[in-house]
Amino acid sequence: MKREFLTTADGSVTIHLPEWNEQYHSKHGAIAEARHVFICAGLQYYAASHPHQKTIELLEIGFGTGLNALLTAVEARTLSHDIVYTGIEAYPVATSEADKLNYPALLSIPTKFFQALHKAAWEECSQIEDGFTLCKQQKKFSDIDENQQYHLIYFDAFGARVQPELWTESIFSKMYKALKPEGVLVTYAAKGSVRRAMQAVGFTVERLAGPPGKREMLRAGK
């Protein structure tokens, strides 16, 4: 599928898929969205709720551009927790495409650090730096079958408009099973059908203020 590059409202670049008229991140700000949904409402929330836990096992549904992993690695430097970050992606972004993304410059991070996330081998775990280990898996989300392995899930799949099959009870049942007790799932989505699918498989779901351009987002707990 053809990929184009789009500068979002906060100056950060995302990938646009013209065939679907869909972006990897919000056009209102790729970095702003990722920070709001996944770092603030997800990682910071979970870490604050479990201050004495040594390691946070984290699953990202849709590794994509690597932005969420990058922001998590940076945030990990401020936490007392070690992060083991598993990113699932069926169709990886090429390293040459990742080189066109301007996240390191905007975040004042060495480019080679961002490149290390994309150059890390698939189907292996790589220690990117102290406190942050990256495990990349190339597979479809429907193939996930872990049981009580993760503390936190970033659910960052493409929207239900273009891939409705990723926002069903079947998929959220897999997410619920993959989470440890007291685990948390966060997503940018806020549709009623998504919330009801989460609740149907056992999640307790709360609406939160959304990132720029969105009124609400969802956080679900096990």
Side-chain angles (χ1 to χ4, degrees):
M1 188 178 294
K2 182 180 180 182
R3 291 169 171 169
E4 300 175 344
F5 295 88
L6 172 71
T7 300
T8 66
D10 64 2
S12 53
V13 172
T14 192
I15 295 174
H16 175 69
L17 304 177
E19 184 176 330
W20 284 352
N21 190 28
E22 180 79 335
Q23 289 78 233
Y24 276 62
H25 306 285
S26 170
K27 64 183 181 180
H28 297 283
I31 288 177
E33 177 191 43
R35 274 181 168 156
H36 181 98
V37 175
F38 301 110
I39 303 303
C40 296
L43 181 59
Q44 290 178 356
Y45 170 82
Y46 186 87
S49 302
H50 300 80
H52 303 300
Q53 185 174 301
K54 177 174 174 52
T55 301
I56 296 176
E57 294 271 359
L58 197 158
L59 173 65
E60 180 182 20
I61 302 301
F63 184 78
T65 65
L67 175 57
N68 294 335
L70 177 64
L71 292 174
T72 300
V74 172
E75 184 67 20
R77 298 171 180 173
T78 71
L79 301 175
S80 59
H81 310 69
D82 292 335
I83 305 292
V84 178
Y85 193 107
T86 299
I88 306 293
E89 179 60 58
Y91 305 101
V93 170
T95 302
S96 59
E97 293 173 318
D99 288 342
K100 298 179 182 180
L101 302 170
N102 62 349
Y103 310 143
L106 294 178
L107 297 170
S108 300
I109 296 168
T111 300
K112 64 181 181 180
F113 185 77
F114 183 52
Q115 290 174 335
L117 301 178
H118 284 278
K119 291 180 179 179
W122 291 87
E123 318 310 330
E124 296 180 13
C125 291
S126 306
Q127 186 169 2
I128 304 300
E129 63 178 7
D130 289 345
F132 186 83
T133 298
L134 176 63
C135 308
K136 296 196 299 187
Q137 299 178 14
Q138 186 175 358
K139 62 183 180 182
K140 294 181 178 180
F141 305 153
S142 57
D143 293 332
I144 295 170
D145 195 33
E146 282 79 6
N147 184 32
Q148 296 192 27
Q149 182 168 338
Y150 303 105
H151 301 101
L152 177 62
I153 294 176
Y154 294 168
F155 200 88
D156 198 17
F158 285 124
R161 178 181 62 84
V162 296
Q163 288 194 302
E165 69 277 9
L166 301 182
W167 301 86
T168 60
E169 289 183 25
S170 175
I171 293 295
F172 286 120
S173 179
K174 289 178 175 290
M175 299 300 101
Y176 191 87
K177 179 183 175 184
L179 278 174
K180 295 177 183 288
E182 299 185 9
V184 172
L185 179 151
V186 285
T187 183
Y188 64 87
K191 289 184 65 175
S193 59
V194 172
R195 175 174 51 82
R196 290 188 292 272
M198 290 178 176
Q199 291 171 329
V201 303
F203 280 111
T204 298
V205 185
E206 58 183 321
R207 297 184 183 93
L208 303 175
K214 281 187 66 69
R215 187 166 61 89
E216 293 181 330
M217 59 165 283
L218 299 177
R219 181 165 63 205
K222 180 175 181 176

